[in-house]
């Protein structure tokens, strides 16, 4: 046990004594201050010079249940989960939750300061680690985020899905993460973009992580959204149907044949159409549960079956019931296995003998209906939306002249040169020049006072100026109020005929350029209907992003509206993402609105920001 | 034990023998078929004639722990929750979840078919039932929904908050509820409206219900949104801050004085600004938890404190630690009690000795961070939005002439007469009449083909027709395609200068007329940004509804936009709600869009539907 002051010497001694793998628990080093970072780096240099590796410092240790190595202060039961955590305490919390859910660990690594080994390297080692089937990851500082995303993508492709829990979606959390491990957290949208690229599942709480682990360990994942609901109570099955629907899954009526097959088994008070309420049919003969689930699985009418209610509780009543219910559970599992369809169970008795046995047989079992439904929804959603893959990086274009954030016409020229279609505009300083520009363009026009980056916030944009009188009035008013160095006079677009999108690229310190698209104009800030991806995106990926918006309905020609030119919008997003990816000095570029019309799309405004310093 | 055929006779015998309160378990009666309903009604008539009361049939019994009456087949531990459930099985599930959370029951009533006693009467009895402090309600069929909401409002006003779990938000759930207890479920928005009126808390799952019960049993509910976070791990506190923020709560930095007070107690690696990460300060001295929580409570800088992480786990280590941690817990509770501020705990050890003791002392303790944060958010939200109260009913106006759904100008006259401001419009059948109408109104105009109820779906609306040529072209095209019996020529409103709302009233079979308002026009269906209330609403309530929309920002004058005439919009909603409330024959009436301008609001379209038959 050494304090920070003795850390470097202890590492030296260890390396000299022949240690080639070191777990460093000591805290108060790199996460503390400049002096601590120096001490830490000295130790890392010693480790690397010796060809050794180090986990930590400022960590809680490592464990590998397949080799019985346990250098932690908690018990990790054996199982299929490889857990990598930058927070030791959250690792212990996950261990406790996993224990309650009957899930065990193949390996646990508390990353600490990642001074030598980092999260990506630990994931890499789990890919080849045979007992590991699912990788659970808690990270605050993503370092080289694209490298991490790339390793995670490989793991998922090789059948080891990765689940990520992280922090930083609130200002308070960002403050703490920094003071905790000196982690510079990434923007939450950058993390979302990396997940879309890599296929990593992002969760919001430790409990959601363990819930999803169970679902990912299923032998036969669902191939679609249709769920059959079976339960021993009308209230439970109705509630399950509501929650499934709320999470984007479908509870559709069964066909006549399956319904009549179920009617033959169940009492007349049962519901047999989906949801199925056995209504006492379980008490009549507990094997009815197996018969129902077999009939549904064999029918092919559902992609998954959710059993909800009290199954698992019979085994709590007596030894005789326990034997009976265990046999029913076993038969149920055999039936769904044969049909290659998944069974998910929610029960009031999540820790009974039957429940434990069902889990051992690969059936995810939950106490809370939302835990079951949310996890199932995540797996189904991923199948419907396969990952984009990590885009190849684009070499920076160093020959480009620097453009200031205030230089609106420079930004237009730059983006226009990359193929982005802008509405026609002319610069003008004086009243006469403004009127002349409008006459050249044709009324009605738009007048913008330049010089600020958020023109419309300051009342620096006037739309639909129909003649010289109204244009002149707007010019005088804006000149006197805002004193802009320059105006832009622009053709007025047919806004009512199109839909406004916002497209942009934002640079994250870990994940690089992030492409984003959302419903734009007035509604952008209000509804936050955004989709994101690692930039650059292909035209096809850009289309998928746009189609994933709730507002996509507005472009697709519904409710008597024409179908708009989604392809032109996708091409614009793709072009913007390629351009910004090649400009590492640009922290943010945004076209808002991009007006999407029946034919084509046109940029009505743009802004750009450079990385400070 | 009697089957349905013997039911009426058994009830008769019981009444004749002097029984004045009967619990009827038998199923296969009113929920089954016409014959069952007749048998059930016969029994009810016998019960009422004798001045007796009956719970059920088709129920699981009742229990009252304060009198040790137990006519159920499960054990209900004693405690403060009065549980009324239309589903017996969901009642048992709630009992199990409550048991795990250390919460007990004052009374349990399984409602069954509510043939005699119904949910409202059972709530009424709980208001006077001294041991009951919180009322938990599961209902599928609300019967006279306004009467139920009114009783629930009384209960809440008298300090016994009501939590409601129901079904029917999906088509599958509606199918099942009907076949289960012949319940005709209400529209989910009607239930939301009743909750806004009565102050009933609506939850989505049994687990959420028990989570919220714990929070409502707090001695000192929070008086605002500011939450202090304290924990023994940077990851846990950062995560808690993210989840609090996601649920609408605030985690704001502490002032300099509180921060420096905390710094004096804690090790240098701790975060002290909010969130507080004790960073080993708990292991140094477990009483540090009490000191921190006391300092925060006394500072007045937070409306509630959330302790997250491992507190409660020391007592699992040894008897000595148990005694110590119990003393710390007791001191913490005393500190927050003195300050009159609430403490909420989330811990990895939700079933330890300290945890149980904290709960006994009135501190809500959760294992899952989202359970804690969601429940806290619900309580805070209710304080910010006090209930509307149940509106007085309006006598139906029977003198009104019937108006057909197709009669657009009739609907305009009816609504206009009630004070709703419509855009100027003229009926026209022929090309000549259409052109003449446009000339009288002034170009540009709007042309609508009448006869259908969803004009814009069928392409029956053309906006911004600027001259006779384009108007004539639109007329010919629509006439040939849609063959409408009549056209409407309307003045074109300045859509770009305003924001479109949707206002309407929908009649629910249980809850009567429901007023609704949302962002309208193109975006109404996409973003479903709706607020609802029992109709009629006052102008002040209408304003609160509009202000509760996410899209309200667009009306309030943000980002360089003018403030729009919210008062005119509220007046329109209030007027529409009064009118529709007096017309029981109208199932639905809607103005979409209502264009809200800087001065005034104007209805651009309206439709109305009558109750079928």
């Amino acid at each position: 046990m050494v304090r920070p002051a003795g850390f470097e010497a202890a590492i030296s001694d260890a390396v000299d004594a022949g240690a080639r793998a070191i777990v460093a628990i000591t805290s108060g080093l790199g996460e503390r201050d400049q002096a601590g970072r120096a001490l830490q780096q000295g130790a890392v240099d010693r480790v690397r010079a010796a060809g050794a590796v180090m986990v930590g410092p400022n960590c809680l240790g490592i464990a590998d249940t397949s080799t019985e190595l346990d250098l932690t202060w908690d018990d990790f039961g054996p199982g299929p989960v490889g857990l990598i955590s930058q927070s030791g305490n959250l690792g212990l919390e996950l261990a406790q939750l996993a224990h309650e859910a009957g899930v065990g660990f193949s390996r646990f690594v508390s990353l600490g300061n990642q001074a030598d080994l980092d999260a990506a390297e630990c994931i890499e080692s789990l890919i080849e680690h045979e007992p590991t089937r699912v990788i659970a990851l808690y990270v605050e500082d993503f370092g080289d985020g694209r490298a991490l995303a790339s390793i995670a993508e490989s793991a998922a492709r090789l059948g080891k899905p990765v689940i990520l829990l992280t922090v930083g979606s609130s200002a308070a959390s960002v403050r703490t993460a920094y003071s905790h491990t000196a982690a510079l957290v990434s923007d939450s949208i950058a993390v979302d973009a990396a997940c879309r690229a890599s296929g990593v599942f992002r969760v919001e709480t430790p409990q959601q992580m363990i819930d999803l682990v169970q679902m990912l360990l299923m032998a036969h994942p669902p191939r679609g959204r249709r769920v059959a609901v079976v339960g021993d109570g009308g209230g439970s099955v109705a509630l399950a149907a509501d929650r499934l629907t709320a999470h984007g899954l479908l509870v559709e009526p069964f066909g006549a044949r399956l319904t009549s097959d179920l009617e033959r088994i169940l009492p007349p008070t049962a519901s047999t159409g989906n949801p199925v309420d056995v209504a006492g049919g379980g008490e009549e003969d507990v094997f009815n549960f197996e018969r129902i689930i077999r009939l549904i699985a064999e029918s092919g009418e559902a992609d998954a079956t959710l059993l909800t209610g009290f199954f698992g509780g019979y085994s709590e009543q007596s030894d005789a019931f326990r034997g009976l219910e265990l046999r029913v559970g076993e038969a149920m599992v055999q039936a769904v296995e044969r049909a290659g369809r998944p069974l998910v169970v929610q029960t009031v008795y999540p820790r009974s003998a039957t429940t434990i046995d069902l889990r051992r047989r690969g059936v995810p079992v939950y106490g809370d209906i939302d835990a079951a439904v949310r996890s199932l929804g995540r797996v189904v959603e991923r199948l419907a939306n396969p990952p984009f893959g990590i885009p190849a990086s684009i070499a920076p274009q160093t020959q480009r002249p620097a453009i200031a954030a205030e230089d609106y016409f420079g930004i237009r020229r730059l983006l226009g040169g990359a193929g982005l279609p802008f509405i026609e505009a002319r610069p003008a300083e004086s009243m006469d020049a403004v009127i002349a520009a409008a006459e050249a363009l044709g009324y009605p026009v738009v007048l913008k006072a330049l010089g600020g980056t958020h023109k419309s916030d300051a009342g620096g944009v006037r739309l639909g100026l129909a003649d010289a009188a109204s244009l002149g009035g707007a010019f005088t008013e804006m000149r006197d109020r805002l004193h802009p160095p320059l105006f832009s006079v622009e053709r007025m677009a047919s806004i009512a005929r199109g839909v406004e999108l916002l497209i942009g690229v934002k640079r994250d310190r870990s994940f690089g350029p992030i492409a984003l698209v959302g419903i734009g104009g007035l509604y952008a800030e209000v509804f936050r209907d955004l989709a994101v991806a690692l930039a650059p995106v292909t035209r096809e990926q850009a289309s998928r992003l746009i189609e994933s918006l709730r507002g996509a309905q507005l472009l697709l020609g519904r409710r008597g509206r024409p179908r708009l030119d989604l392809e032109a919008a996708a091409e614009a997003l793709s072009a913007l993402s390629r351009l910004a990816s090649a400009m590492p000095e640009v922290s943010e570029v945004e076209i808002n609105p991009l007006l999407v019309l029946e034919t084509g799309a046109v940029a009505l405004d743009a802004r750009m920001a450079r990385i400070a310093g």
Side-chain angles (χ1 to χ4, degrees), chain A:
Chain A
M1 291 183 62
V2 290
R3 286 188 166 255
F7 182 64
E8 196 176 343
I11 295 290
S12 284
D13 291 350
V15 167
D16 291 345
R20 288 298 169 267
I22 296 171
V23 177
I25 312 283
T26 300
S27 65
L29 290 156
E31 83 283 9
R32 172 85 174 272
D33 54 20
Q34 189 55 46
R37 279 191 287 281
L39 284 174
Q40 178 175 299
Q41 192 54 48
V44 170
D45 293 343
R46 288 285 296 136
V47 166
R48 289 185 176 166
V53 291
M54 179 174 77
V55 168
N58 187 29
C59 84
L60 281 191
I62 66 171
D64 186 308
T65 58
S66 63
T67 58
E68 294 181 18
L69 174 76
D70 187 0
L71 304 176
T72 67
W73 67 18
D74 205 345
D75 283 334
F76 287 87
V81 182
L83 171 60
I84 298 168
S85 178
Q86 196 174 347
S87 157
N89 276 2
L90 268 176
L92 301 183
E93 176 163 1
L94 286 163
Q96 181 70 24
L97 293 172
H99 177 73
E100 280 168 34
V103 171
F105 293 89
S106 53
R107 189 179 280 174
F108 167 63
V109 183
S110 169
L111 286 172
N113 293 352
Q114 307 186 63
D116 181 37
L117 289 179
D118 65 14
E121 290 164 305
C122 292
I123 295 175
E124 201 167 9
S125 81
L126 287 177
I127 294 177
E128 288 161 18
H129 189 239
E130 197 275 327
T132 297
R133 290 176 53 207
V134 174
I135 299 171
L137 186 63
Y138 174 79
V139 180
E140 293 169 5
D141 185 342
F142 290 90
D144 181 348
R146 292 214 176 196
L148 184 62
S150 182
I151 292 286
E153 189 211 13
S154 304
R157 209 168 351 95
L158 296 167
K160 300 190 178 188
V162 180
I163 312 175
L164 170 68
L165 178 64
T166 186
V167 293
S169 67
S170 67
S173 144
V174 171
R175 286 197 304 272
T176 319
Y178 185 74
S179 81
H180 169 44
T181 45
L184 290 165
V185 303
S186 283
D187 192 323
S188 196
I189 65 159
V191 178
D192 284 339
C195 290
R196 189 181 278 267
S198 60
V200 166
F201 290 92
R202 183 173 182 184
V203 293
E204 295 158 318
T205 67
Q207 185 63 58
Q208 287 180 15
M209 183 170 249
I210 299 304
D211 292 340
L212 184 56
V213 160
Q214 272 207 69
M215 196 62 79
L216 290 171
L217 290 170
M218 278 189 310
H220 304 282
R223 281 165 286 185
R225 293 187 184 273
R226 299 169 308 159
V227 181
V229 179
V230 180
D232 39 12
S236 314
V237 299
L239 198 66
D242 280 347
R243 301 313 298 152
L244 285 160
T245 306
H247 283 86
L249 298 158
L250 302 175
V251 184
E252 293 176 340
F254 293 148
R257 177 154 172 198
L258 177 54
T259 297
S260 76
D261 285 350
L262 295 171
E263 275 169 1
R264 265 194 291 277
I265 296 171
L266 289 171
T269 46
S271 311
T272 50
N274 195 24
V276 176
D277 167 17
V278 303
E283 280 78 15
E284 284 182 4
D285 180 355
V286 70
F287 270 94
N288 278 338
F289 283 108
E290 184 272 331
R291 292 183 189 112
I292 296 162
I293 280 164
R294 177 164 41 79
L295 283 169
I296 293 170
E298 288 171 356
S299 75
E301 292 204 29
D303 300 299
T305 299
L306 173 66
L307 175 60
T308 177
F310 290 79
F311 191 82
Y314 298 93
S315 53
E316 305 272 278
Q317 307 294 320
S318 71
D319 287 349
F321 276 154
R322 179 173 309 127
L324 197 62
E325 196 182 45
L326 284 166
R327 289 214 311 281
V328 175
E330 184 183 352
M332 274 181 353
V333 174
Q334 284 167 357
V336 295
E337 285 286 323
R338 265 196 309 273
R341 309 242 165 195
L343 172 67
V344 175
V345 176
Q346 180 270 329
T347 171
V348 179
Y349 300 94
R351 279 178 283 273
S352 76
T354 312
T355 305
I356 291 166
D357 190 63
L358 283 172
R359 284 197 178 121
R360 197 178 55 77
R361 296 175 187 279
V363 176
V365 187
Y366 302 89
D368 176 25
I369 185 67
D370 260 5
V373 166
R374 187 189 296 112
S375 306
L376 183 62
R378 284 186 157 127
V379 172
V380 168
E381 190 56 40
R382 174 56 40 81
L383 289 166
N385 285 299
F388 278 9
I390 315 295
S393 61
I394 290 188
Q397 296 193 13
T398 48
Q399 298 305 310
R400 197 186 311 279
I403 295 171
E406 298 75 35
D407 182 6
Y408 174 64
F409 282 92
I411 294 167
R412 283 176 53 106
R413 272 191 304 276
L414 171 68
L415 302 185
L420 287 148
F422 273 82
I423 194 90
E424 208 180 335
R426 308 207 166 184
E429 276 183 64
S430 65
M431 171 77 89
D432 287 352
V434 161
I435 301 287
E439 276 165 9
L441 294 167
Y443 288 101
V445 296
V446 173
L447 182 66
K448 294 179 184 171
L450 304 182
T453 50
H454 285 276
K455 299 176 225 36
S456 66
D457 288 6
V461 178
R462 289 286 300 274
L463 303 178
L465 300 165
D467 49 40
S470 49
L471 176 59
F475 172 84
T476 307
E477 189 279 324
M478 286 203 272
R479 182 196 58 199
D480 296 350
R481 181 166 49 87
L482 301 167
H483 312 290
L486 191 67
F487 286 87
S488 176
V489 185
E490 313 195 353
R491 204 159 59 69
M492 176 75 196
S494 314
I495 293 175
R497 301 240 170 116
V499 166
E500 295 178 338
L501 292 183
L502 165 167
I503 65 175
V505 178
K506 234 176 135 167
R507 192 166 288 268
D508 182 79
R509 59 178 289 283
S510 280
F511 293 100
I514 309 298
L516 54 94
V517 58
I519 287 296
L522 193 54
Y523 295 89
E525 302 262 325
V526 173
F527 294 110
R528 302 285 300 160
D529 184 16
L530 280 181
V532 295
L534 297 184
V537 290
T538 65
R539 207 189 322 188
E540 190 264 332
Q541 289 169 343
S543 288
R544 277 181 56 194
L545 284 184
I546 296 170
E547 284 167 11
S548 77
L549 298 172
R550 279 174 294 155
Q553 296 175 49
L554 302 174
L555 285 84
L556 294 171
R558 305 275 162 77
R559 311 213 73 205
R561 290 179 53 85
R563 190 184 192 284
L564 302 181
D565 198 340
L566 193 63
E567 294 70 27
E571 175 57 43
L573 176 57
S574 176
L576 185 65
S577 78
R578 288 192 305 269
L579 176 73
S581 297
M583 300 178 68
E585 75 280 13
V586 172
S587 65
E588 202 171 346
V589 55
E590 183 181 287
I591 292 177
N592 183 16
L594 175 78
L595 182 68
V596 188
L597 298 162
E598 281 185 68
T599 305
V602 58
L604 303 187
D605 204 4
R607 63 191 191 88
M608 202 165 90
R610 301 171 65 81
I611 289 167

